[in-house]
Amino acid sequence: MNTKNECAHTCKEFCNALEIATLREKEAIIQYDSLRDECNYPDVKVILNELIIQRQKSIRLLDEAKILIKTKFEVLDQIQDGFKT
């Protein structure tokens, strides 16, 4: 995925910025999980677990934002359709 042009400015069907952010959060989770599995120090494992939980929360927030954007565009489409008839 091309990350140089993070925003395609075509949010109606697909928000590239939110997709890239979600992808980065998932990649971070994979990295933290791998580090946690290799680590022997309990305090570090706890910190890495907390980071994983925070990234999972971020993904949920991004998913909620995607749903909100989709809903807004659906409402706008309904309003526009109302003017066409």
Side-chain angles (χ1 to χ4, degrees), residues 12-61:
K12 185 169 182 179
E13 297 297 325
F14 179 79
C15 181
N16 200 30
L18 292 178
E19 291 298 325
I20 290 171
T22 301
L23 178 64
R24 288 184 180 164
E25 294 297 321
K26 289 178 179 179
E27 289 170 348
I29 289 171
I30 291 168
Q31 290 175 349
Y32 294 150
D33 188 52
S34 177
L35 291 169
R36 182 192 59 200
D37 290 346
E38 293 176 22
C39 183
N40 293 328
Y41 194 71
D43 291 344
V44 173
K45 284 182 171 274
V46 168
I47 292 168
L48 292 170
N49 274 332
E50 184 59 36
L51 289 171
I52 290 169
I53 290 167
Q54 291 301 320
R55 297 293 178 143
Q56 290 168 335
K57 288 178 183 176
S58 295
I59 291 170
R60 284 193 297 276
L61 178 64

Side-chain angles (χ1 to χ4, degrees), residues 12 69-84:
K12 185 169 182 179
I69 290 170
K70 181 179 181 217
T71 302
K72 285 182 178 182
F73 278 112
E74 286 173 354
V75 169
L76 289 174
D77 285 345
Q78 290 172 1
I79 291 169
Q80 288 178 345
D81 288 344
F83 285 112
K84 292 178 184 177

